[in-house]
Amino acid sequence: MKRRSLLGATAFAVLGLGSLVQAQDLPPLEQKDSYTVGFAQSESNNPWRIAETKSFQDTAASCGWNLIVTDAGGSAAKQVADVDSMIAQGIDVLFLPPREESPLIPAVMRAKAAGIPVFLVDRSVDPNVAQAGRDYVAFLGSDFVDQGRRAAEYMMENFEGEQGLIIQLEGTTGSSPANDRKRGFDEAVAGNDKFQILESRTGDFARDEGRRVMETLLQAHPDVNIVYAHNDEMAIGAIQALEAAGRTPGQDVMVVSIDGTRDALQAIIDGKMAVTVESSPFFGPLSCETMKRYAAGETIEPWVKVEDRIFTAENAAEHIDEAY
Ligand code: AHR
């Protein structure tokens, strides 16, 4: 295993009465023509994650990456093992979308201890335990709380019924997008008497699970007239369940979601879905640029934020060709 000095990137800040406080203690990254880079994907069961992996693969040659890609198949334990294996192989840099907020933290710490700069991409870890600028270089990704809030705001502005009765399909339990998209949506809806969340349950960000959960919840709540799904795959699964139950999504049930996949944009064009707030999976170019800035000695901002658009009936047709 390769071990490098951490001193190169150690910076100090003078705080208060002149006490020296270590502000940063991250592994340095030398500037060179090619890097062995690890990308430890969490799963590949939906178009979003496949597009994300492809974005890294498409970026590899132009960024000088000898890219090692693993697929944890939906298991945080396997993702930990994948990271450990990459550390043992002596990667120069790790890009990691942690499947859940807590279980990956020890692996992040081990990568740092082995002198490997870690960039969290698309998903983050529990900020009470591990922090950008100290335990890993930065988080590159969207504002998931804002995505949930924007989905709620669109729903509140455009729902035409008298009372909105909502089923929420949550993403993977313990993942940062599921936690934050729920928080943003719930906070926006709270206090608006016109809307009530009937039930909120995980569909694990998967189409089949979204359909199964929706089938079950439809039995318990036949009066539902809004579905908020934390991603498009679950929204499409919910649309299938609604149609199988004789409902007409887009007419008697409003479907709001997040991601911007091709199937979701098509569902909007077909009048079955109202809105999807974008969450871009195209992290390859941003990861390359951020890594190069870091290698050049720049201090990277803790959160390299991705700005998201919103897709509705007004612009879905215009954007479907660029969707995945
Ligand atoms: O972390 C981002 C989320 O993960 C996407 O919204 C979802 O589709 C994916 O599985």
Side-chain angles (χ1 to χ4, degrees):
M1 186 195 303
K2 191 166 11 182
R3 284 200 161 265
R4 280 166 288 206
S5 161
L6 301 184
L7 295 175
T10 301
F12 294 90
V14 180
L15 292 183
L17 296 172
S19 58
L20 267 180
V21 174
Q22 192 167 322
Q24 193 180 7
D25 186 18
L26 293 165
L29 183 64
E30 67 179 287
Q31 284 185 293
K32 51 185 187 172
D33 291 339
S34 74
Y35 297 89
T36 303
V37 168
F39 175 61
Q41 182 56 283
S42 59
E43 56 231 305
S44 302
N45 64 343
N46 78 41
W48 196 99
R49 307 222 75 83
I50 291 167
E52 183 185 43
T53 301
K54 185 171 182 309
S55 178
F56 274 89
Q57 287 163 335
D58 290 349
T59 304
S62 62
C63 202
W65 291 344
N66 167 24
L67 185 66
I68 301 170
V69 177
T70 52
D71 177 0
S75 157
K78 164 82 163 63
Q79 198 176 27
V80 168
D82 290 342
V83 171
D84 284 339
S85 161
M86 288 174 177
I87 295 170
Q89 289 175 65
I91 55 170
D92 296 311
V93 182
L94 174 64
F95 292 106
L96 176 67
R99 186 171 199 273
E100 292 144 47
E101 282 198 341
S102 297
L104 268 296
I105 292 175
V108 169
M109 302 298 197
R110 284 194 289 276
K112 180 193 165 189
I116 299 165
V118 178
F119 297 83
L120 299 185
V121 288
D122 114 56
R123 293 190 187 179
S124 195
V125 292
D126 183 347
N128 296 313
V129 184
Q131 278 160 24
R134 187 190 71 187
D135 304 307
Y136 57 93
V137 179
F139 166 60
L140 284 55
S142 293
D143 184 337
F144 296 133
V145 175
D146 190 55
Q147 290 174 344
R149 186 184 308 125
R150 290 168 77 192
E153 280 166 1
Y154 186 91
M155 175 197 77
M156 291 190 287
E157 278 163 26
N158 292 280
F159 180 74
E160 287 174 351
E162 279 186 14
Q163 171 92 65
L165 300 171
I166 305 165
I167 283 177
Q168 178 169 198
L169 296 175
E170 299 175 22
T172 298
T173 304
S175 69
S176 59
N179 291 343
D180 291 352
R181 287 171 184 171
K182 177 168 170 50
R183 198 174 108 214
F185 185 87
D186 290 0
E187 283 175 1
V189 169
N192 186 333
D193 293 343
K194 186 172 166 180
F195 296 92
Q196 184 193 342
I197 299 174
L198 298 170
E199 200 156 340
S200 188
R201 216 187 271 184
T202 183
D204 201 20
F205 281 133
R207 184 181 296 209
D208 286 355
E209 192 57 13
R211 181 176 41 72
R212 271 193 294 273
V213 171
M214 193 66 210
E215 279 165 6
T216 305
L217 294 183
L218 262 173
Q219 313 270 337
H221 306 287
D223 49 348
V224 58
N225 53 19
I226 297 173
V227 172
Y228 164 50
H230 287 189
N231 81 342
D232 287 342
E233 282 294 282
M234 293 190 296
I236 299 290
I239 287 172
Q240 291 170 346
L242 287 163
E243 289 179 331
R247 306 291 298 270
T248 312
Q251 286 182 32
D252 59 12
V253 185
M254 182 186 211
V255 179
V256 302
S257 176
I258 294 169
D259 267 356
T261 64
R262 180 179 292 274
D263 285 355
L265 295 195
Q266 190 59 55
I268 292 174
I269 292 166
D270 294 343
K272 297 180 180 185
M273 193 187 286
V275 64
T276 183
V277 179
E278 183 183 35
S279 193
S280 172
F282 301 118
F283 280 98
L286 182 64
S287 299
C288 172
E289 181 197 315
T290 310
M291 186 204 87
K292 291 213 158 149
R293 285 204 285 131
Y294 186 67
E298 258 186 60
T299 300
I300 307 299
E301 55 278 27
W303 184 358
V304 181
K305 220 184 241 188
V306 174
E307 299 299 330
D308 298 310
R309 299 169 290 181
I310 188 162
F311 301 120
T312 66
E314 306 230 310
N315 64 354
E318 190 188 321
H319 293 290
I320 193 159
D321 287 342
E322 68 204 52
Y324 47 95

